[in-house]
Amino acid sequence: IGLLAAQCATALGATKVIIADINAVRLELASKMGNFVTIDSSKVDLKEKIMEMTNGNGVARLIEATGAPPVVNTCFTLLRKGAKLVLIGLPKSAIHIEDPLTNVIFKSITLTTVHGRRIFHTWEQCEKLISEGKVDPTLIVSHEFPMAKWQDAFDALMSGTACKIVVDVQK
């Protein structure tokens, strides 16, 4: 989902899109999907790198797609004043904002969640971006399996090397 969000951001006019991940396979895929800056946050300090790239200001727009509470918590420290943060990942446990005065209140951020979108309008916009060739959802499909090989599909999913998997129920 994060990779598609990056493609959408580019299609809607973002001039610099930064993708951070700890999965080298997804970062390699991101490099093939667009002119994105990729950061392996398992190897470098993400906040330090973002601040270096933005002259210490932080990013103006951030989409968090993992839902992992430590990542969500870090997002607030990466934002510049007046930034917009969109949470599309679904945290399964509590999130904690370090230094809320500095990282939320004084930054005057705007927070939107996945539930805050207008579903039909969103679908129509996505369909338009796909039909115009600005977003290609097929790029994130890493594996396809017939239904008879469902166990192989789950094994691929659990291996951490798959992006999106299609299971064809007709086969």
Side-chain angles (χ1 to χ4, degrees), residues 16-96:
K16 185 176 198 175
V17 176
I18 303 166
I19 296 177
D21 205 313
I22 60 171
N23 184 312
V25 173
R26 275 195 297 267
L27 289 169
E28 184 179 327
L29 178 58
S31 295
K32 294 175 183 173
M33 290 180 68
N35 187 23
F36 305 128
V37 175
T38 58
I39 300 172
D40 186 337
S41 54
S42 70
K43 295 182 179 172
V44 299
D45 181 278
L46 183 58
K47 181 180 178 187
E48 188 176 297
K49 187 68 175 172
I50 292 292
M51 291 305 160
E52 175 188 310
M53 294 171 69
T54 61
N55 298 318
N57 293 314
V59 295
R61 306 286 185 270
L62 193 149
I63 299 172
E64 199 297 312
T66 69
V71 179
V72 175
N73 297 341
T74 299
C75 286
F76 294 93
T77 68
L78 306 176
L79 301 171
R80 71 176 49 200
K81 195 169 192 146
K84 294 185 179 186
L85 172 61
V86 179
L87 301 178
I88 59 176
L90 304 173
K92 303 288 190 285
S93 60
I95 60 172
H96 175 78

